[in-house]
Amino acid sequence: MSVAPSTIRPAPVKAAAYGGYHTRHVPQPDLEITSTNPGTPMGEYMRLFWQPVCLSIELGDLPKAIRIMGEDLVAFRDKSGNIGVMHRHCAHRGASLEYGIIDKSGIRCCYHGWHYACDGTLIDAPCEPDATRLKQTVCQGAYPAFERDGLVFAYMGPPEKKPPFPEFDTYKLPRGNKLVPFSNIYPCNWLQVFENIMDHMHTAVLHNKMVVEGVDDGTAAGLSLEGFGDMPIMTWEPTRDGNGMVFIAGRRLPNDKVWVRITEMIFPNFLQIGSLLPTAARERHSTAGCTRWNVPIDDTNMIIFGYRHFNKEVDPDGLGSEADCGVDKIDFLEGQVGDRSYEEGQRAPGDWEAIVSQRPIAVHALENPGHSDIGVYLCRKLLREIVRGKTKPDGLYASLTAEGKTLPIYAQDTVLSARRLPPAEDRKQILELNKKVLEVMRSADKLDADERDSHIRRKLDEIDGSERVGA
Amino acid sequence: MSVAPSTIRPAPVKAAAYGGYHTRHVPQPDLEITSTNPGTPMGEYMRLFWQPVCLSIELGDLPKAIRIMGEDLVAFRDKSGNIGVMHRHCAHRGASLEYGIIDKSGIRCCYHGWHYACDGTLIDAPCEPDATRLKQTVCQGAYPAFERDGLVFAYMGPPEKKPPFPEFDTYKLPRGNKLVPFSNIYPCNWLQVFENIMDHMHTAVLHNKMVVEGVDDGTAAGLSLEGFGDMPIMTWEPTRDGNGMVFIAGRRLPNDKVWVRITEMIFPNFLQIGSLLPTAARERHSTAGCTRWNVPIDDTNMIIFGYRHFNKEVDPDGLGSEADCGVDKIDFLEGQVGDRSYEEGQRAPGDWEAIVSQRPIAVHALENPGHSDIGVYLCRKLLREIVRGKTKPDGLYASLTAEGKTLPIYAQDTVLSARRLPPAEDRKQILELNKKVLEVMRSADKLDADERDSHIRRKLDEIDGSERVGA
Amino acid sequence: MSVAPSTIRPAPVKAAAYGGYHTRHVPQPDLEITSTNPGTPMGEYMRLFWQPVCLSIELGDLPKAIRIMGEDLVAFRDKSGNIGVMHRHCAHRGASLEYGIIDKSGIRCCYHGWHYACDGTLIDAPCEPDATRLKQTVCQGAYPAFERDGLVFAYMGPPEKKPPFPEFDTYKLPRGNKLVPFSNIYPCNWLQVFENIMDHMHTAVLHNKMVVEGVDDGTAAGLSLEGFGDMPIMTWEPTRDGNGMVFIAGRRLPNDKVWVRITEMIFPNFLQIGSLLPTAARERHSTAGCTRWNVPIDDTNMIIFGYRHFNKEVDPDGLGSEADCGVDKIDFLEGQVGDRSYEEGQRAPGDWEAIVSQRPIAVHALENPGHSDIGVYLCRKLLREIVRGKTKPDGLYASLTAEGKTLPIYAQDTVLSARRLPPAEDRKQILELNKKVLEVMRSADKLDADERDSHIRRKLDEIDGSERVGA
């Protein structure tokens, strides 16, 4: 795949041993796809989607000051249970509503008692002898917001473009699935955290006992993804007419089996991945173990909000831990959260260290991409084409959400039989399996939601049968 | 009153429910009247007046580094008792005089021992074989300074414009009055702290049990001004030919009484208010309970310096506490000082939270002013007219200070008889009382200082008698 | 000596008592000779020399993040003992190599395991199916580096201009000399720390019991240089064709003796000084007690790296302490390191307070230089002439380092006999002795290294004999 022009260095420098003097210049970051402040191309695009802004458990009897895409906001749940997400500073004289008093309906500014409903309308202004004019002309800047399974979502885009909230099959399937909310703060730009997901090959390095000699086995194991240690055979593909993409990772297992894993991004910042447990490589088919939104706080800070999925299909052995999911904590892998000492991070680095240390905003112009980066570069290219208006919105996504139907996803794990061949041929065979599994997932798009799962399982069984010929 | 042009938003946005997207832009602050750095219009105006720069008790055997209106300074008391207020960095090679050694006369820089008198003249330069030329050409940048009742004052303006220090009647009256110095630091622009005083109606909201449910009664009481809970009937007036202003707040009391309170600002940053105790609404007449200067540290930090007045007239029941007045502490109201936790501030907000949270410099262009803001907007308008050269200096102030006479003030509290009328008429009656009381105060301007108090009391008695007709 | 044009104030202000209003403007610092970021004149000049970047003891089993002249780097010792000094961010995707895993040879980035040799060449890229192209085109930006007597040196300039490492006579002489490494961090620009050395007269002030009354004798003594309390008679001279300079300080001792001390700078940032012990004024002749490089971290932070010399000649009574030399600590004088409280610094200021408090970058345009500053201004003038290309490189330095020979130094302490004369004549006599001693030191330049010491001692004896006539 080609690299977008703006990420190519203007005057390439020939690398040489001890050549630091010639490569020391640090160019500006690529703001077109990293900056999400109001009015930026990426910021306006991201505002067209519902975004999580905090966890439900963060809203008690006090308002919570939050910062999303460079906007200072306050979130609260009023005493009637309505959610307010508003500009932080009172429309009257600017006092912060983080010091406001939550009311039966809405919130009162502490300074003069101006009382706003959750939609921002002025209900009362006790210092005003005649508040009629004010009630007609003043509104606190507010955003539509609601709670869903422990996350608080807001829509910060143009009111006339507010979309329905997209429901994915995976939220309710398999039957009995439980969504457990969590967050995860990274003090760096959102994109380097998001694109890391398409950089699947790092799981075989960073998440495979990449520790300093002397680190104890328990710590090393906590940082490692069991079963992800072998280098996968990778395929990357745009999906949803360029509004999403997947990686497909095929891994050779013992006993003439191949494990095909698909992880999916839907732009701008949504993704679903399968299980991160060793059992991911055991079952015929399972889907999302985790749903995440990569939400910018501002250009140099971000917060992941997500749902861990708890069900028997993604976690047949019950290895996950609901209690370890919450505010800035998750139940898989050490090194995801900035809660360790600098030295601990050095001795046993995790995603947090590898990603945050790419600079406050990673400088793409300094990179030297290889095969493992194809997904990252495809992700950036697709985002750039969207913000430049070259990509049409996803029709299926639009029509299903408009109809209130749930959306298919492509993230999944499948284990298939496939006789081990000599390396070059085996690689080719696995690449073909990668494609076939994605085709199966896509072939369910047009079906009704309740038919998709059985259709997919049937199709995967067919592939499994056909491949088994040589076994 | 009209709002100054520069505070009107260029492209007004129609407020609407859930309209945050259209009102998210944060314009620049109004630097013409908020910035006081050297060379700014407001900064040059403010430098024409004596300003307090620290408390006497802060000057011991070590120099104190201070920052006033963006200038880094050092203050000290030499061993002869002279006060020095100087540029912080030594005129020789820039070492800070906060590490200087205080001498019998002046201060010595620690680096090369250059020795400056309090006026900045070079007394000695021990490393210089012939210091004659240096003594003639080098001066440490110094400002005239002196102590008065526990505050250290300096004059930072052009030497040729140095005014006499203005003495107010209230400093010595009533007989036996005691001035107790204090300071109070706010990490925000000076103007939002200063103008808050003309925003008197907030006392009926913020200072009236505006706390989150569950806060204990003692905390709530500590944050509340007893007697200020009813919404006052307000009048705002320029005074001193536009060089000052007052609010007059009339409040209906039980038993056909009305309490008329006047608080006065003298520009640029001086103010006097009456008592903040419940007894303010009990006596016929009392004057200043507090004198304050709102001094910029820099554009985003400020410090109030002031005197609490301790005397039997403003505090007949002896409720105040001298021991609670000092460096960044005062004896009235919780929530004035930044010494509480974030959560305490959220549960029981005070002036500190309401004012600091207006942003480092409040953005006037985002405000939606109402009736309660008339005083704030008048204050800004008058300041703007002064820095634009449209206002003549106050002749009375100039002539009295030149003659060494004390200055009259208008701040006071009075209780008058006035039969309660139906609401609309009562409001009219109170507005008339507001005006009459201000007239009484102004009518004493031309009198000799020792005649003013009895004149005012006689005039107030007359009003009280005439109003009592209907009772 | 003349002051360089750029340091003269454009519109000189006549200093006057209480004239702070007219001298409050703070101009920009003189970046031509203070800034060392990549591409600046001074930065490029400084990069032509080997610079210490950390201490050997700072390199253990973890990489060390360092910042030198505004470049973010990482230093490490691989398991074969090779030293790596590299750009901090991995050439692949920017993850920091401070989280890299040190290998038998070089270092591995934790993210994708890219493995670099100490010269920056790519040895392995485990995620890349075919890393051949990458190995040919990608290099981590690296700098040549090595260890020497406990310091790690790197060369950060253009590869084609890499010089030999200069060895000075003093490193090995006197026989048995031991070099003990140390560092010393100053949060300010490098130049104000460096030039302080040519400002020798401050030793008679700052380092001579310049403490607030009441400080105990032990603390005062720890801050004072015994024997440096009398004001020296100073001479300053360029050396090495303008690529270095010395001060020569002559001090009258009791018993018709004169102590002549020479301290030498070699530009851009190297210096050697004699002993700081009272015994410096006792022996006929001794040389370096301390070698230092003043290395910029960035424009507002710097770190001294140096060697304390331990031998019987500079410290005949064994007063120094090796154990007190190390990471940000040295064994002479309190007040060199930022480890004291603010109040301790105020009560008993040292170099750290006097220098750091000159502002993050001292503003030369505000200075009023006197006699004591001649050395400082000469230092700046010579540096400016070098970065403007007006000074030819030092031929002797170049030829001796090219031949692998050790370099002579001029730093030394000598005690000579000289009958005390009336003050004016004595001053003249001492100035002549100053010149003579420097001439002696220079006369050894052309000799072989092993002949220099005896030549110098013989010549000094001759001077001593001739001066003794009058005794």
Side-chain angles (χ1 to χ4, degrees):
Chain A
M1 57 157 301
S2 69
V3 174
S6 73
T7 65
I8 293 173
R9 263 172 284 177
V13 172
K14 201 164 169 237
Y18 290 131
Y21 181 82
H22 293 297
T23 58
R24 68 192 175 171
H25 176 63
V26 181
Q28 288 302 302
D30 181 357
L31 296 179
E32 183 179 24
I33 55 173
T34 55
S35 178
T36 61
N37 287 328
T40 57
M42 181 56 70
E44 291 304 295
Y45 169 48
M46 204 174 275
R47 280 172 175 79
L48 297 175
F49 298 82
W50 287 93
Q51 301 289 352
V53 299
C54 65
L55 268 67
S56 285
I57 54 167
E58 295 180 280
L59 302 186
D61 61 348
L62 296 177
K64 180 160 179 62
I66 58 175
R67 188 168 168 85
I68 303 289
M69 292 185 275
E71 296 186 39
D72 286 329
L73 307 173
V74 68
F76 61 92
R77 186 189 300 108
D78 73 16
K79 291 181 180 176
S80 308
N82 305 304
I83 298 297
V85 173
M86 296 181 170
H87 292 171
R88 197 183 297 168
H89 296 279
C90 176
H92 175 214
R93 286 263 308 289
S96 174
L97 295 177
E98 77 201 280
Y99 299 109
I101 308 297
I102 295 172
D103 205 288
K104 188 164 190 305
S105 166
I107 193 168
R108 282 183 182 272
C109 178
C110 70
Y111 200 13
H112 302 87
W114 286 30
H115 182 178
Y116 301 106
C118 288
D119 66 0
T121 53
L122 182 62
I123 299 174
D124 189 24
C127 297
E128 297 303 311
D130 177 9
T132 313
R133 179 188 63 86
L134 288 169
K135 288 182 191 174
Q136 285 165 352
T137 57
V138 176
C139 256
Q140 181 67 14
Y143 295 116
F146 70 99
E147 286 180 284
R148 191 243 152 74
D149 287 301
L151 287 182
V152 175
F153 291 87
Y155 172 75
M156 293 170 63
E160 69 278 13
K161 295 191 179 170
K162 189 181 78 174
F165 182 80
E167 298 281 345
F168 285 87
D169 288 357
T170 45
Y171 294 170
K172 294 187 177 154
L173 287 175
R175 196 181 302 268
N177 183 39
K178 180 167 184 190
L179 300 177
V180 176
F182 69 91
S183 62
N184 189 357
I185 297 168
Y186 278 75
C188 64
N189 185 260
W190 74 280
L191 182 58
Q192 63 215 64
V193 184
F194 185 51
E195 69 189 19
N196 173 59
I197 289 297
M198 281 300 136
D199 176 356
H200 186 58
M201 295 170 100
H202 85 264
T203 56
V205 180
L206 181 65
H207 304 317
N208 187 31
K209 305 192 174 60
M210 176 56 94
V211 296
V212 171
E213 207 175 296
V215 166
D216 64 88
D217 289 350
T219 302
L223 281 144
S224 298
L225 285 171
E226 193 182 330
F228 291 72
D230 291 333
M231 206 58 73
I233 292 167
M234 298 295 301
T235 307
W236 292 272
E237 288 286 345
T239 57
R240 304 177 192 261
D241 298 329
N243 293 280
M245 70 176 286
V246 292
F247 77 68
I248 319 159
R251 275 180 177 88
R252 170 56 66 189
L253 300 177
N255 299 327
D256 288 334
K257 299 277 183 189
V258 167
W259 165 33
V260 178
R261 179 180 180 85
I262 305 181
T263 289
E264 185 184 24
M265 281 180 166
I266 302 179
F267 301 123
N269 63 337
F270 175 88
L271 64 91
Q272 295 198 91
I273 60 175
S275 165
L276 288 168
L277 301 166
T279 42
R282 196 175 78 187
E283 305 294 319
R284 160 57 41 86
H285 177 65
S286 63
T287 61
C290 196
T291 300
R292 296 191 221 174
W293 291 260
N294 286 256
V295 180
I297 293 173
D298 50 31
D299 284 355
T300 56
N301 292 278
M302 67 84 68
I303 183 165
I304 295 171
F305 291 104
Y307 291 125
R308 275 277 286 109
H309 295 241
F310 284 85
N311 64 64
K312 277 286 170 194
E313 202 175 288
V314 292
D315 184 8
D317 297 351
L319 302 173
S321 161
E322 291 185 33
D324 289 333
C325 300
V327 176
D328 204 19
K329 63 176 183 174
I330 44 178
D331 70 333
F332 54 82
L333 271 185
E334 290 297 310
Q336 301 297 298
V337 175
D339 63 349
R340 299 188 299 163
S341 72
Y342 178 60
E343 186 180 334
E344 284 175 316
Q346 281 192 301
R347 294 204 174 274
D351 276 322
W352 202 87
E353 285 76 23
I355 294 172
V356 170
S357 76
Q358 290 167 26
R359 293 189 174 87
I361 307 180
V363 178
H364 303 162
L366 286 178
E367 295 174 352
N368 285 286
H371 175 77
S372 71
D373 306 295
I374 291 174
V376 167
Y377 274 71
L378 180 57
C379 168
R380 294 179 191 166
K381 179 170 177 274
L382 293 171
L383 281 171
R384 196 180 314 277
E385 285 174 358
I386 291 170
V387 299
R388 289 184 177 178
K390 294 182 181 166
T391 303
K392 279 184 295 190
D394 178 12
L396 179 70
Y397 182 103
S399 64
L400 289 179
T401 54
E403 293 165 32
K405 291 184 179 168
T406 59
L407 291 158
I409 68 151
Y410 306 142
Q412 64 87 54
D413 288 280
T414 287
V415 176
L416 295 166
S417 304
R419 196 181 52 176
R420 183 189 290 269
L421 304 177
E425 284 167 70
D426 204 46
R427 179 178 169 81
K428 201 174 151 196
Q429 175 181 229
I430 292 173
L431 283 169
E432 278 165 17
L433 280 177
N434 283 353
K435 295 226 170 215
K436 280 186 186 163
V437 175
L438 179 61
E439 272 163 32
V440 166
M441 295 306 293
R442 283 174 146 171
S443 72
D445 280 359
K446 302 288 164 61
L447 300 179
D448 273 354
D450 53 4
E451 295 171 20
R452 283 185 199 121
D453 189 61
S454 55
H455 167 86
I456 288 164
R457 288 180 184 277
R458 195 168 59 245
K459 286 284 190 185
L460 291 174
D461 284 347
E462 285 173 21
I463 295 174
D464 192 56
S466 70
E467 297 299 317
R468 208 180 294 151
V469 177
Chain B
M1 59 155 300
S2 70
V3 174
S6 73
T7 65
I8 294 172
R9 261 171 285 176
V13 173
K14 200 160 169 243
Y18 289 131
Y21 181 81
H22 292 297
T23 58
R24 66 189 176 174
H25 177 62
V26 181
Q28 288 303 300
D30 182 358
L31 296 179
E32 184 180 22
I33 55 173
T34 55
S35 178
T36 61
N37 287 328
T40 58
M42 181 56 70
E44 291 303 296
Y45 170 47
M46 202 173 275
R47 280 172 176 77
L48 297 176
F49 298 83
W50 287 93
Q51 300 290 351
V53 299
C54 65
L55 269 67
S56 285
I57 54 167
E58 294 180 281
L59 302 186
D61 61 347
L62 296 177
K64 178 156 178 68
I66 57 176
R67 188 169 168 85
I68 303 289
M69 293 185 276
E71 297 186 38
D72 287 328
L73 306 173
V74 68
F76 61 91
R77 186 190 300 108
D78 73 16
K79 291 180 180 175
S80 309
N82 306 302
I83 298 296
V85 173
M86 295 181 171
H87 292 172
R88 196 181 298 167
H89 296 279
C90 177
H92 175 213
R93 285 263 308 288
S96 174
L97 294 178
E98 77 202 280
Y99 299 110
I101 308 297
I102 296 172
D103 204 289
K104 189 164 189 306
S105 165
I107 194 168
R108 283 183 183 274
C109 178
C110 70
Y111 201 12
H112 303 88
W114 286 30
H115 182 179
Y116 301 105
C118 288
D119 67 359
T121 53
L122 181 62
I123 299 173
D124 188 24
C127 297
E128 297 304 309
D130 177 11
T132 313
R133 180 187 63 85
L134 289 168
K135 287 181 192 175
Q136 285 165 354
T137 56
V138 176
C139 256
Q140 181 66 14
Y143 295 116
F146 70 100
E147 286 180 282
R148 191 244 152 73
D149 286 301
L151 287 181
V152 175
F153 291 88
Y155 171 74
M156 294 169 64
E160 69 279 11
K161 296 192 178 170
K162 190 180 77 175
F165 183 77
E167 298 281 344
F168 285 88
D169 289 357
T170 45
Y171 293 173
K172 294 188 175 152
L173 287 176
R175 198 183 301 266
N177 182 39
K178 181 167 182 191
L179 300 177
V180 177
F182 69 91
S183 62
N184 189 357
I185 297 168
Y186 277 76
C188 64
N189 185 261
W190 74 280
L191 182 58
Q192 62 215 63
V193 185
F194 185 51
E195 68 188 18
N196 173 59
I197 289 296
M198 282 298 135
D199 176 356
H200 186 58
M201 296 171 97
H202 84 265
T203 56
V205 180
L206 181 64
H207 304 316
N208 188 30
K209 305 191 174 61
M210 177 56 95
V211 297
V212 171
E213 208 175 294
V215 167
D216 64 88
D217 289 350
T219 301
L223 280 145
S224 298
L225 285 172
E226 194 183 330
F228 291 73
D230 291 333
M231 206 58 74
I233 291 168
M234 298 294 301
T235 308
W236 292 271
E237 289 286 346
T239 56
R240 304 177 192 260
D241 298 330
N243 292 281
M245 70 175 287
V246 292
F247 77 68
I248 320 161
R251 278 181 175 88
R252 171 55 67 189
L253 301 176
N255 300 326
D256 289 335
K257 299 277 184 190
V258 167
W259 165 34
V260 178
R261 179 180 180 83
I262 304 181
T263 289
E264 185 185 24
M265 280 179 168
I266 302 180
F267 300 123
N269 63 337
F270 176 87
L271 64 92
Q272 295 199 90
I273 60 175
S275 165
L276 288 168
L277 301 166
T279 42
R282 198 174 76 187
E283 306 293 320
R284 162 54 42 86
H285 176 66
S286 63
T287 60
C290 195
T291 300
R292 295 190 220 174
W293 291 259
N294 285 256
V295 180
I297 293 172
D298 50 32
D299 283 354
T300 55
N301 293 278
M302 67 84 68
I303 183 164
I304 295 171
F305 291 104
Y307 291 125
R308 277 277 287 109
H309 295 241
F310 284 86
N311 64 66
K312 276 286 169 196
E313 203 177 286
V314 292
D315 184 7
D317 298 351
L319 302 173
S321 162
E322 291 185 34
D324 289 333
C325 300
V327 176
D328 204 19
K329 63 177 183 175
I330 44 179
D331 71 333
F332 54 82
L333 271 183
E334 290 296 310
Q336 301 297 299
V337 174
D339 62 349
R340 299 187 300 162
S341 72
Y342 178 61
E343 187 179 335
E344 284 174 315
Q346 282 193 301
R347 295 205 172 273
D351 277 321
W352 201 89
E353 285 76 22
I355 294 172
V356 171
S357 76
Q358 289 167 28
R359 293 189 174 89
I361 307 180
V363 179
H364 302 162
L366 286 178
E367 295 174 351
N368 286 286
H371 175 78
S372 70
D373 305 295
I374 291 173
V376 167
Y377 274 71
L378 180 56
C379 168
R380 294 178 192 167
K381 180 171 176 274
L382 293 171
L383 281 172
R384 196 181 313 277
E385 286 174 359
I386 291 169
V387 299
R388 289 183 179 181
K390 294 183 180 165
T391 302
K392 278 185 297 191
D394 177 12
L396 180 69
Y397 181 104
S399 64
L400 290 178
T401 53
E403 294 165 31
K405 292 184 178 167
T406 60
L407 291 158
I409 69 150
Y410 307 142
Q412 65 88 53
D413 288 281
T414 287
V415 176
L416 296 166
S417 304
R419 196 182 50 176
R420 182 189 289 272
L421 303 177
E425 284 167 71
D426 204 48
R427 178 178 170 80
K428 204 175 148 194
Q429 175 182 228
I430 292 173
L431 283 170
E432 277 165 18
L433 280 177
N434 283 354
K435 294 227 170 215
K436 280 186 187 162
V437 175
L438 179 61
E439 273 162 32
V440 167
M441 296 304 294
R442 281 175 149 172
S443 70
D445 279 359
K446 302 288 164 61
L447 300 178
D448 271 353
D450 53 3
E451 296 168 18
R452 284 185 199 124
D453 189 59
S454 55
H455 166 86
I456 288 165
R457 288 180 186 276
R458 195 169 58 242
K459 287 283 189 184
L460 291 173
D461 284 346
E462 285 171 21
I463 296 174
D464 192 56
S466 69
E467 298 297 320
R468 209 181 291 154
V469 176
Chain C
M1 57 154 301
S2 69
V3 174
S6 73
T7 66
I8 294 174
R9 263 172 284 176
V13 174
K14 199 161 170 242
Y18 289 132
Y21 181 81
H22 293 297
T23 57
R24 67 192 176 173
H25 176 63
V26 182
Q28 288 303 301
D30 182 358
L31 297 179
E32 184 180 22
I33 54 173
T34 57
S35 178
T36 61
N37 287 328
T40 57
M42 182 57 70
E44 291 304 296
Y45 169 48
M46 203 173 277
R47 280 172 175 78
L48 297 177
F49 298 82
W50 287 92
Q51 301 290 352
V53 299
C54 64
L55 269 67
S56 285
I57 55 167
E58 294 180 281
L59 303 185
D61 62 347
L62 296 176
K64 179 157 179 65
I66 57 175
R67 187 168 168 85
I68 303 289
M69 293 185 274
E71 297 187 39
D72 287 328
L73 306 173
V74 67
F76 61 90
R77 185 189 300 107
D78 74 16
K79 292 181 179 173
S80 308
N82 306 303
I83 297 295
V85 173
M86 294 181 171
H87 292 171
R88 196 182 298 167
H89 297 278
C90 176
H92 175 214
R93 286 263 308 289
S96 173
L97 295 177
E98 77 201 279
Y99 299 109
I101 308 298
I102 295 172
D103 205 288
K104 188 163 189 307
S105 166
I107 194 168
R108 282 183 182 272
C109 178
C110 69
Y111 201 12
H112 302 87
W114 287 30
H115 182 179
Y116 302 105
C118 289
D119 66 0
T121 53
L122 182 62
I123 299 173
D124 188 24
C127 298
E128 297 304 310
D130 177 10
T132 313
R133 180 189 61 85
L134 289 168
K135 287 181 193 176
Q136 285 165 353
T137 58
V138 177
C139 256
Q140 181 66 15
Y143 295 117
F146 69 100
E147 285 179 284
R148 192 243 152 74
D149 287 301
L151 288 181
V152 175
F153 290 87
Y155 171 75
M156 294 169 63
E160 69 278 12
K161 295 191 179 170
K162 190 180 78 175
F165 182 78
E167 298 281 344
F168 286 86
D169 288 356
T170 46
Y171 295 171
K172 293 189 175 151
L173 288 176
R175 198 183 301 268
N177 182 39
K178 181 167 181 191
L179 300 177
V180 177
F182 68 91
S183 62
N184 188 358
I185 298 169
Y186 277 75
C188 64
N189 185 261
W190 74 281
L191 182 58
Q192 62 216 65
V193 184
F194 185 51
E195 69 189 18
N196 173 60
I197 288 298
M198 282 299 135
D199 176 356
H200 186 58
M201 296 171 98
H202 85 263
T203 56
V205 181
L206 180 66
H207 304 318
N208 187 31
K209 305 194 173 57
M210 177 56 94
V211 298
V212 172
E213 208 175 294
V215 167
D216 64 87
D217 289 350
T219 302
L223 281 145
S224 298
L225 285 172
E226 194 182 331
F228 290 72
D230 291 332
M231 207 57 75
I233 292 168
M234 298 294 302
T235 308
W236 291 272
E237 289 287 345
T239 56
R240 304 177 193 262
D241 298 330
N243 293 280
M245 71 175 285
V246 293
F247 77 68
I248 319 160
R251 278 181 175 90
R252 168 58 65 192
L253 300 177
N255 299 327
D256 289 334
K257 299 278 183 188
V258 168
W259 165 32
V260 178
R261 179 180 180 84
I262 304 180
T263 288
E264 185 185 24
M265 282 179 165
I266 302 178
F267 301 124
N269 63 336
F270 176 87
L271 65 91
Q272 295 200 91
I273 60 176
S275 166
L276 288 167
L277 301 166
T279 42
R282 198 175 76 188
E283 306 293 321
R284 161 55 42 85
H285 176 66
S286 63
T287 61
C290 196
T291 300
R292 296 192 220 172
W293 291 259
N294 285 255
V295 180
I297 293 172
D298 50 32
D299 283 356
T300 55
N301 293 279
M302 67 85 66
I303 183 164
I304 294 170
F305 291 104
Y307 291 125
R308 277 278 286 107
H309 295 241
F310 284 85
N311 62 65
K312 277 284 169 195
E313 201 176 289
V314 292
D315 183 8
D317 297 350
L319 302 172
S321 162
E322 290 185 34
D324 288 332
C325 300
V327 176
D328 204 19
K329 63 177 184 174
I330 44 179
D331 71 334
F332 54 83
L333 272 184
E334 290 298 308
Q336 301 298 299
V337 174
D339 63 349
R340 299 187 299 162
S341 72
Y342 178 59
E343 187 180 335
E344 284 174 314
Q346 281 192 301
R347 294 205 174 275
D351 275 323
W352 201 89
E353 286 75 23
I355 294 172
V356 171
S357 76
Q358 290 169 27
R359 293 189 174 88
I361 307 180
V363 178
H364 302 162
L366 287 177
E367 294 174 352
N368 285 286
H371 176 77
S372 71
D373 306 295
I374 291 173
V376 167
Y377 274 71
L378 179 58
C379 168
R380 295 180 192 165
K381 179 171 176 274
L382 293 171
L383 281 171
R384 196 181 314 278
E385 285 174 0
I386 291 170
V387 298
R388 289 183 179 180
K390 293 182 182 167
T391 303
K392 278 184 298 190
D394 177 12
L396 179 70
Y397 182 105
S399 63
L400 289 179
T401 53
E403 293 165 31
K405 292 184 179 166
T406 59
L407 291 158
I409 68 151
Y410 306 142
Q412 65 88 53
D413 288 280
T414 287
V415 176
L416 296 166
S417 306
R419 196 182 52 175
R420 184 189 291 268
L421 304 176
E425 285 167 69
D426 205 47
R427 180 179 169 80
K428 202 175 149 195
Q429 175 182 226
I430 292 174
L431 283 169
E432 277 165 20
L433 280 177
N434 284 354
K435 294 229 170 213
K436 280 185 188 163
V437 174
L438 179 61
E439 271 162 35
V440 167
M441 295 306 293
R442 282 175 148 170
S443 72
D445 281 359
K446 303 288 165 60
L447 300 178
D448 272 355
D450 52 4
E451 297 168 20
R452 282 184 200 125
D453 190 60
S454 54
H455 167 85
I456 288 164
R457 289 178 185 277
R458 196 169 57 243
K459 287 282 188 184
L460 291 173
D461 285 347
E462 286 172 20
I463 296 174
D464 192 56
S466 68
E467 299 297 320
R468 209 181 290 152
V469 174

